[in-house]
Amino acid sequence: MLFPLSGITVDPWLPPLVAFVISFFTSMGGISGAFLLLPFQLSVLGYTHPSVSSTNQLYNIVAIPSGVYRYCKEGRMVWPLAWAVVIGTLPGVLIGAVVRVTGLRDPRHFKLFAAVVILYIALKMIKDLRRRPAEAAAASKGGPLAATYGNPGTTVTITHRNLKRIGYTFQGESYDVSVMGIGVLCFIVGIIGGIYGIGGGAIIAPFLVTFFGLPVYTVAGAALMGTFVTSVAGVVFYTAIAPLYPQLSVAPDWLLGILFGLGGMAGMYLGARCQKFVPARAIKGMLVVIMLGTALKYILEFLK
């Protein structure tokens, strides 16, 4: 089947199947499948136009709502944090879209940028895998397993929110963060996410945990919500600027993106259900191997 907007020919069953498999495993590791879906489109499908980024964001729009609903239902959505992430990320995403169209048109240069992003996420996973068993056990309290199968009575309580600080309590601990600090971080991450087409959630969450000391258990929902909203903005912006670049494929391939999104939605749901039966370290180890191989391949292609 020919997808005219992307210029690729592929069987219609393949995009949802690939998205299903990727999101099934990545969701168990607490990570969106978008960052691995883009290399598949670049290397396997040969989809190297700037519109591949907006198509990847369209995947996020279709696949993410079920996850946001789950966090809201379990009372673990920190809405003030979510809106701080959205407000900080939005302008960065729009800038990233412009950079993608004007400065990273060459597939070689874009692949090098993609390799850097993938390497960052892979190194973050390696750091998690190298932690001592005691540290890993402590981290699991707010990790992917707890995030999916935690005590339904464990909820977030907002203590204060204003233009300067956001505070809340969770599992007997109090957390207080700077709105300005989150905004600056999310602005930078938004640019990266806008260029790459992942919305930035996979990058925002580790930073919020590492630099702000927030538990992953409460960060995941906010990062997911931020990814969803910024992906919507990214798709709208790419579509709006498409007429300005008639010689380029800029607007998303709607049919392809929706097919990916439907597979991703099913994969995320099933992955969350099966997560407790699969060791998290095994999942992360597998993802690290895939990401390092992909990043190395892109770097070698750029050097050649």
Side-chain angles (χ1 to χ4, degrees), residues 220-244:
L224 201 61
M225 185 64 187
T227 300
F228 174 75
V229 174
T230 53
S231 292
V232 172
V235 168
V236 171
F237 190 69
Y238 271 107
T239 303
I241 67 174
L244 302 178

Side-chain angles (χ1 to χ4, degrees), residues 192-261:
I192 298 173
I195 295 172
Y196 191 65
I198 59 175
I203 307 174
I204 289 173
F207 271 106
L208 290 177
V209 173
T210 302
F211 292 106
F212 291 92
L214 301 179
V216 177
Y217 196 79
T218 63
V219 162
L224 201 61
M225 185 64 187
T227 300
F228 174 75
V229 174
T230 53
S231 292
V232 172
V235 168
V236 171
F237 190 69
Y238 271 107
T239 303
I241 67 174
L244 302 178
Y245 302 92
Q247 75 282 11
L248 292 176
S249 174
V250 175
D253 189 314
W254 291 92
L255 179 58
L256 184 62
I258 290 174
L259 287 176
F260 276 127

Side-chain angles (χ1 to χ4, degrees), residues 100-143:
R100 175 68 174 103
V101 173
T102 60
L104 285 173
R105 297 182 185 180
D106 188 334
R108 289 177 64 252
H109 294 159
F110 181 63
K111 285 185 176 182
L112 179 62
F113 174 83
V116 172
V117 176
I118 295 172
L119 272 177
Y120 163 76
I121 300 174
L123 292 175
K124 177 67 174 62
M125 282 191 176
I126 292 174
K127 182 180 178 181
D128 291 341
L129 289 171
R130 293 185 63 184
R131 284 185 298 186
R132 293 189 297 274
E135 294 175 334
S140 66
K141 183 178 181 181

Side-chain angles (χ1 to χ4, degrees), residues 28 140-150 217 272 274-278 280:
M28 285 193 281
S140 66
K141 183 178 181 181
L145 187 62
T148 305
Y149 295 95
Y217 196 79
C274 297
Q275 183 193 49
K276 61 181 178 180
F277 302 110
V278 182

Side-chain angles (χ1 to χ4, degrees), residues 42-79:
L42 290 174
S43 299
V44 179
L45 300 184
Y47 187 6
T48 59
H49 301 299
S51 59
V52 70
S53 295
S54 55
T55 300
N56 215 39
Q57 289 179 330
L58 180 57
Y59 157 82
N60 281 335
I61 294 174
V62 178
I64 283 177
S66 58
V68 171
Y69 169 76
R70 186 179 186 90
Y71 283 113
C72 292
K73 185 178 180 180
E74 294 180 3
R76 292 187 287 109
M77 177 66 75
V78 186
W79 284 109

